[in-house]
Amino acid sequence: MAEVPEVEVLVRDLREAVVGRRIEAVTLPQPVAVRFPSPEEYAGLLAGRTVEDAQRWAKHIWLPLGADLALEVHLMLWGTLVLAPSTQLIIPDTMIVWRLEGGEDLRLIDKLGYARSAAGAPEVVIERLDLASLGPDALEPGFDDAVLHRRLQGRRGVLKTVLLNQRVLAGLGNRDADESMWLAGIDPRRSASSLSEEEISKLRAAIDQVLQEGLALR
């Protein structure tokens, strides 16, 4: 599973290696990887556009290509992005190839075939993928005890399930939630709303520690 630290590391690498470069062409060894628009439209929209930034939206990779176009990538379970020379053999697990200026490809690879991408006007992509419904991001500087308390308050579900709900809190995957609760010494079967202020503070600190460790280990 590609958890948030892995996605964040990839986004940071993209800022260094891809931002500012033009997409010369797009090939689709596995057209099913494109959510929308049609594979033909997708390739046509992206060709000739320059990657202006690389951002992370929970587990979504967001690449603005100008005010009128954005490219989104979701790695799902086992997907990853690889920068490779354009002359390098394309392996069977490759789903999308973005040919970049300078003789390199950015390649979406997924041995299970679940990874997906979308492109379009930013507001359209946000609406169709329901990105606006995502909760606050656990890696953002503003994520503190008060934010976590508000997100858990009144939630009757078990803590583990609530923490994995990206509409409650964006940025935690299965592994990171487990490690955070273990570190904080909190039973994942507890009701989310049953945590005391002290337990919320411990959990918030544990979440931050686990995510930062993940980033440090790439």
Side-chain angles (χ1 to χ4, degrees):
M1 168 68 76
E3 304 283 15
V4 162
E6 286 89 342
V7 179
E8 178 67 20
V9 165
L10 282 172
V11 166
R12 295 179 183 184
D13 288 348
L14 288 168
R15 289 179 189 144
E16 295 293 326
V18 174
V19 170
R21 299 175 70 176
R22 185 176 67 254
I23 300 171
E24 294 186 337
V26 179
T27 56
L28 300 166
Q30 300 187 45
V32 69
V34 178
R35 292 186 192 274
F36 61 84
S38 69
E40 295 78 13
E41 291 176 288
Y42 177 95
L45 279 173
L46 301 183
R49 303 302 289 260
T50 297
V51 181
E52 296 189 350
D53 196 5
Q55 303 164 7
R56 181 183 56 80
W57 206 325
K59 295 184 181 182
H60 298 263
I61 295 172
W62 184 266
L63 302 176
L65 305 176
D68 62 334
L69 187 63
L71 168 62
E72 177 271 348
V73 179
H74 197 295
L75 303 176
M76 304 300 283
L77 292 175
W78 289 102
T80 192
L81 293 172
V82 173
L83 195 64
S86 298
T87 54
Q88 183 173 302
L89 180 70
I90 295 176
I91 65 174
D93 294 337
T94 304
M95 304 194 73
I96 302 177
V97 177
W98 298 277
R99 177 70 52 84
L100 303 175
E101 61 178 333
E104 287 186 311
D105 293 344
L106 180 64
R107 301 179 181 180
L108 177 62
I109 298 173
D110 185 359
K111 64 182 181 181
L112 294 182
Y114 294 153
R116 294 292 183 265
S117 180
E123 63 274 12
V124 172
V125 178
I126 290 169
E127 180 180 3
R128 292 190 63 173
L129 297 179
D130 199 22
L131 298 181
S133 70
L134 293 170
D137 196 296
L139 271 177
E140 289 297 316
F143 177 65
D144 57 17
D145 294 358
V147 171
L148 184 58
H149 181 266
R150 287 196 299 270
R151 304 309 292 177
L152 299 183
Q153 192 174 29
R155 303 277 178 178
R156 296 182 179 179
V158 297
L159 181 61
K160 169 71 178 289
T161 302
V162 171
L163 289 178
L164 292 180
N165 186 338
Q166 298 296 295
R167 288 177 171 79
V168 175
L169 178 65
L172 282 186
N174 192 59
R175 179 197 63 208
D176 298 325
D178 284 346
E179 294 294 335
S180 298
M181 288 180 289
W182 173 265
L183 188 61
I186 298 173
D187 190 329
R189 297 166 295 186
R190 291 264 305 274
S191 166
S193 61
S194 72
L195 271 62
S196 67
E197 290 187 10
E198 181 181 2
E199 288 173 322
I200 287 175
S201 183
K202 286 182 179 179
L203 179 58
R204 200 277 311 159
I207 289 170
D208 183 65
Q209 180 176 331
V210 168
L211 292 178
Q212 293 303 324
E213 285 176 352
L215 292 175
L217 294 169
R218 293 184 61 83

